[in-house]
Amino acid sequence: MIGFQLISVALLCMTCLVNGFAGIFGEVCPIELSQKTSRACQERRYRQLLVNKKVYQLAPISFLPDEPIRWLNMTYDQMTAVFGKHPFEQWEFNIYLAKTAGGAKILEQWHKLNAGEDIQSFADFVEIYTFFRKAQEALGDPYFKNPSDEEPFQNIIKYWMRDKVFAEQRLAGVNPMTLKRISTDKEDVGLKWSELKKVLNQKFDWDNLIINTPNLPKISLAKAISRKMVFVLRYPLLDYLPAMPDIMESRPHRKMWDPTSPIAFFAVHPNNRNNLIPIAIQMDVKPGSPVYTPKDGDLWMLAKLSVQGADLGYNQVAEHLAKTHLLLEPFCVSKDRQLSENHPLHQVIKYHCRGISITDKLAFQFLLGENQNLHRLFPYGYLGAVNIALKSYRQTSWKDTDFIGNIRERGLDFRTLRYFPYRDDGYSIFVTIQKAVRDYVKQYYECDEEVQNDYELQNFMNEVSADGVGIDGGNGNVKDLPYELTSVDSLVVFLTRLLWQLSGQHAALNYPVADYGGFTLNMPTKLYRDRRVSNDVFSLFSFPNANISARHAIVAFSLTNYRYDSLFDYGSQLPDKRGRDVMSKWFYFLQRLVQPKLEKRNQNRLKGDHLTYPYLLPRWIPNGIQT
């Protein structure tokens, strides 16, 4: 292992010296397309990539060799040797490791201060949450901040019990990706009612659900569906997960709830589509599972909490881990194998890929391992979490990066649902990325033929795509990704979606956890039946103990309050004037035009008693997946 590390670092340093001082050996190689540079520079680039291919290799996860996931084939120690001294990666890499070590020390400090003590009041949960939030922020400025401390924000600590806040977290909280409109069989969007009702409790009066909900029209559910009024949360990957032993609670009078796959219904009034209203929750997908509505008092509160816990776990494993971290790592490994450092696309992509491999390595080690954090926090344990991640990844493809198409397919356009901050702010960021990408690409590619003839680009696509051919073809195993690009437009579409997924999409799925997912009262990872109260009573005893809440908070803040940079802030650092001018222009555009527009939206949301959405403000979006 040590030999590998030393050789890797030496090879990388030699490569950097050759590239940095090319004039000593000949001409200085410019930032240019692979086919447009000189023969000498082509040979130099080729030698550099041969070295990189020995260091950066794509392989299945060692303990999941039969799964389609591919990532960087290095141990933690090997990564430390390579990235800890890498001219580009080392600074961020070392800050990230210091942050990880700091989080562990914070948890140790809390245990020393609170040894043997448990929750005595709802206020104790607030104290735990506040302790870890402040401790994480104290690790270092400017990398450890939360936008909700500086931007307009409705503090969840005060409002977590409100039905309105519960509903709007589907649109501005940790998981904006699961809500769908319930559709008729004639529509090709959303979740069809004919399919959904197959898993519903047939004894419940679904036909009169809308009629029995105050402040909604007195119409049948079928009529409401046809008028595009009804929405649903449905989590198929959570169906029938077995419980794991609860290693965090040993008191015999407390019994952890088994894992559930709840189904939550929401509606909007046709004359006021700004307000999403929760109207019913079926507690599980199992036949005969009870259904509760806002009229059911304590049982309704418990039902909402079961949805909150399910939503948090689903977000972190199925959406966040599988569809950003695991989906995108092959691109970030392959860019070092197939795109020379002098390729204009490498110059941009590297800023959006910085940090992803070490983050993924530690995520599996500290989140998904046996007796690790997800095992301690969620009732389905590490086996259930791994099961969710694998099922999600098997279903994931490049099509999942289509931001606009995803909104359309879920039936959540503006005419149907007016208030949806993830959609609206995300569109502003996505379109800006698209414009910047087109501007950048046109600096280097004058026509479609230049895309077709760029053999480094084509090798990159061929390697990452599951349909790739040849020695390196298909190594990344990404489904539905084209294995070649044939036009400027196809390159713009690809690069836009890659940069969006690495920056805006990851920010939307990760950073809201600091404000919503880390506060146990709002999103408990477990619920309990306690003999001190009856099962139909919502009380303090329904929540996890202090140790679980503390671990919940430290995991949340370890994942969510670190930002190393800001979207497109690297323009001035690019070595080629063409790229430097373009990316600097679009960074300025984001900060001076998009930022004020989204800030104004958030001010109006706060005035209108809606949750605000600071996570896609440009200055708070990192370039890449850094946590």
Side-chain angles (χ1 to χ4, degrees):
M1 179 181 297
I2 297 300
F4 172 89
Q5 296 168 358
L6 294 176
I7 292 170
S8 300
V9 174
L11 288 172
L12 283 171
C13 291
M14 289 173 59
T15 301
C16 292
L17 287 172
V18 169
N19 288 333
F21 299 98
I24 298 173
F25 306 98
E27 65 177 295
V28 175
C29 294
I31 304 300
E32 192 54 272
L33 302 185
S34 57
Q35 76 274 26
K36 295 176 74 172
T37 194
S38 69
R39 179 62 62 86
C41 287
Q42 288 181 0
E43 291 178 356
R44 197 168 295 144
R45 288 163 70 142
Y46 175 73
R47 290 197 299 272
Q48 173 205 358
L49 293 175
L50 284 181
V51 171
N52 285 359
K53 286 181 179 180
K54 295 178 180 178
V55 178
Y56 305 102
Q57 298 179 10
L58 280 164
I61 296 175
S62 59
F63 49 88
L64 297 170
D66 298 325
E67 295 297 333
I69 303 168
R70 299 293 181 268
W71 69 353
L72 179 61
N73 188 27
M74 286 188 193
T75 66
Y76 175 83
D77 290 338
Q78 290 166 348
M79 283 188 183
T80 301
V82 173
F83 293 118
K85 298 181 180 179
H86 192 285
F88 177 74
E89 298 269 2
Q90 62 177 335
W91 183 246
E92 191 276 338
F93 179 84
N94 290 324
I95 292 175
Y96 179 77
L97 292 187
K99 176 193 79 74
T100 302
K105 291 180 180 178
I106 291 170
L107 186 59
E108 290 177 10
Q109 180 186 7
W110 184 87
H111 280 299
K112 289 180 181 178
L113 294 173
N114 298 275
E117 297 183 13
D118 199 16
I119 300 294
Q120 301 297 321
S121 69
F122 285 113
D124 290 341
F125 286 110
V126 177
E127 289 184 8
I128 291 172
Y129 174 76
T130 304
F131 173 88
F132 284 99
R133 185 180 182 112
K134 291 182 177 179
Q136 279 282 332
E137 290 175 351
L139 284 178
D141 186 69
Y143 304 111
F144 304 95
K145 288 184 176 180
N146 292 297
S148 56
D149 291 333
E150 301 183 21
E151 309 290 346
F153 195 75
Q154 193 176 68
N155 194 332
I156 195 68
I157 290 175
K158 299 179 181 179
Y159 303 109
W160 64 273
M161 295 183 70
R162 295 174 61 189
D163 280 3
K164 182 181 178 71
V165 170
F166 169 73
E168 291 192 352
Q169 285 181 65
R170 279 50 270 175
L171 309 169
V174 302
N175 182 20
M177 305 304 297
T178 300
L179 189 76
K180 294 182 179 181
R181 180 165 61 81
I182 301 178
S183 58
T184 66
D185 285 343
K186 296 180 180 179
E187 299 178 88
D188 59 356
V189 300
L191 180 57
K192 296 185 187 303
W193 173 244
S194 59
E195 291 298 316
L196 178 59
K197 66 182 181 182
K198 294 177 181 178
V199 295
L200 298 181
N201 184 338
Q202 299 304 311
K203 295 181 179 180
F204 183 78
D205 186 8
W206 295 106
D207 291 340
N208 290 312
L209 176 61
I210 304 299
I211 292 174
N212 292 333
T213 301
N215 304 317
L216 287 179
K218 302 304 179 183
I219 58 177
S220 68
L221 179 61
K223 183 68 173 178
I225 290 171
S226 69
R227 294 177 68 176
K228 303 180 180 181
M229 291 171 50
V230 192
F231 305 82
V232 68
L233 292 177
R234 172 79 176 95
Y235 307 96
L237 299 184
L238 303 186
D239 291 358
Y240 298 101
L241 289 176
M244 292 287 285
D246 187 0
I247 63 174
M248 296 292 286
E249 176 62 81
S250 59
R251 290 173 291 182
H253 61 272
R254 286 175 58 78
K255 180 175 174 55
M256 178 184 72
W257 284 27
D258 285 341
T260 61
S261 182
I263 304 171
F265 292 80
F266 304 82
V268 293
H269 195 288
N271 299 329
N272 181 12
R273 292 181 177 268
N274 278 310
N275 293 319
L276 189 68
I277 304 167
I279 57 176
I281 296 171
Q282 180 169 308
M283 295 296 286
D284 199 2
V285 72
K286 297 174 182 176
S289 294
V291 181
Y292 301 119
T293 72
K295 298 178 181 179
D296 288 314
D298 279 13
L299 289 170
W300 172 246
M301 192 68 218
L302 290 170
K304 289 194 298 179
L305 292 176
S306 74
V307 172
Q308 291 287 79
D311 199 60
L312 178 59
Y314 189 87
N315 155 262
Q316 284 298 290
V317 181
E319 294 290 345
H320 178 198
L321 177 62
K323 294 182 182 179
T324 60
H325 287 254
L326 298 181
L327 175 65
L328 298 173
E329 183 164 353
F331 295 93
C332 294
V333 177
S334 186
K335 69 104 171 48
D336 287 313
R337 292 170 48 81
Q338 305 294 351
L339 294 174
S340 162
E341 291 180 3
N342 290 93
H343 195 289
L345 296 184
H346 183 115
Q347 286 294 314
V348 167
I349 293 173
K350 72 177 185 179
Y351 285 95
H352 298 272
C353 282
R354 179 165 49 191
I356 185 173
S357 291
I358 186 61
T359 301
D360 289 355
K361 184 70 67 174
L362 290 179
F364 265 87
Q365 182 176 340
F366 294 120
L367 293 178
L368 293 173
E370 185 174 1
N371 294 331
Q372 293 299 323
N373 286 308
L374 294 189
H375 185 74
R376 294 171 181 269
L377 291 177
F378 288 93
Y380 40 72
Y382 79 98
L383 289 178
V386 171
N387 183 279
I388 296 167
L390 293 180
K391 284 184 178 179
S392 178
Y393 191 85
R394 291 171 196 149
Q395 299 172 10
T396 297
S397 75
W398 184 244
K399 294 178 182 178
D400 288 286
T401 64
D402 184 359
F403 169 77
I404 295 174
N406 176 274
I407 298 295
R408 184 186 306 116
E409 289 176 5
R410 290 196 281 147
L412 302 179
D413 60 86
F414 183 76
R415 292 170 299 177
T416 300
L417 188 61
R418 296 294 175 85
Y419 169 86
F420 192 178
Y422 163 80
R423 175 198 63 201
D424 300 338
D425 296 2
Y427 183 80
S428 296
I429 300 300
F430 183 87
V431 169
T432 302
I433 292 174
Q434 185 178 54
K435 291 177 180 177
V437 164
R438 184 171 293 279
D439 198 356
Y440 186 87
V441 165
K442 286 192 172 182
Q443 303 303 311
Y444 299 95
Y445 297 88
E446 296 180 3
C447 59
D448 293 344
E449 287 74 17
E450 291 192 345
V451 174
Q452 297 164 15
N453 294 332
D454 184 355
Y455 56 85
E456 285 185 6
L457 170 62
Q458 300 301 340
N459 289 343
F460 172 70
M461 299 301 298
N462 183 63
E463 175 161 86
V464 182
S465 170
D467 297 324
V469 297
I471 295 176
D472 293 336
N475 285 344
N477 210 25
V478 175
K479 292 186 298 184
D480 296 323
L481 177 74
Y483 67 90
E484 62 179 351
L485 297 175
T486 59
S487 66
V488 172
D489 285 345
S490 67
L491 174 56
V492 169
V493 170
F494 162 73
L495 191 57
T496 298
R497 286 164 61 169
L498 179 64
L499 299 194
W500 158 255
Q501 202 75 8
L502 284 162
S503 59
Q505 181 67 4
H506 177 261
L509 294 177
N510 181 61
Y511 291 103
V513 173
D515 297 308
Y516 300 103
F519 183 39
T520 300
L521 290 178
N522 180 59
M523 295 191 107
T525 57
K526 295 179 180 180
L527 292 172
Y528 285 84
R529 292 182 176 87
D530 193 301
R531 289 204 298 264
R532 288 170 286 185
V533 294
S534 62
N535 291 342
D536 59 354
V537 172
F538 163 74
S539 78
L540 182 69
F541 303 130
S542 304
F543 290 93
N545 62 39
N547 287 335
I548 298 174
S549 183
R551 185 168 292 271
H552 179 181
I554 193 61
V555 170
F557 288 118
S558 294
L559 291 173
T560 59
N561 79 333
Y562 169 60
R563 294 168 174 83
Y564 181 72
D565 50 25
S566 182
L567 185 59
F568 292 164
D569 66 351
Y570 52 81
S572 62
Q573 301 174 48
L574 297 180
D576 183 59
K577 186 178 187 303
R578 291 171 291 177
R580 186 165 61 245
D581 289 348
V582 166
M583 300 315 293
S584 295
K585 178 182 79 173
W586 287 103
F587 176 67
Y588 180 91
F589 182 87
L590 281 169
Q591 297 297 316
R592 298 301 178 90
L593 296 176
V594 178
Q595 177 85 20
K597 179 177 72 173
L598 300 191
E599 286 176 346
K600 184 65 175 178
R601 283 184 189 171
N602 277 329
Q603 291 167 3
N604 291 335
R605 288 164 183 157
L606 193 63
K607 291 177 182 177
D609 192 32
H610 291 293
L611 297 184
T612 61
Y613 200 63
Y615 314 105
L616 289 181
L617 290 171
R619 76 186 185 99
W620 293 104
I621 302 174
N623 284 305
I625 295 176
Q626 298 164 2
T627 60

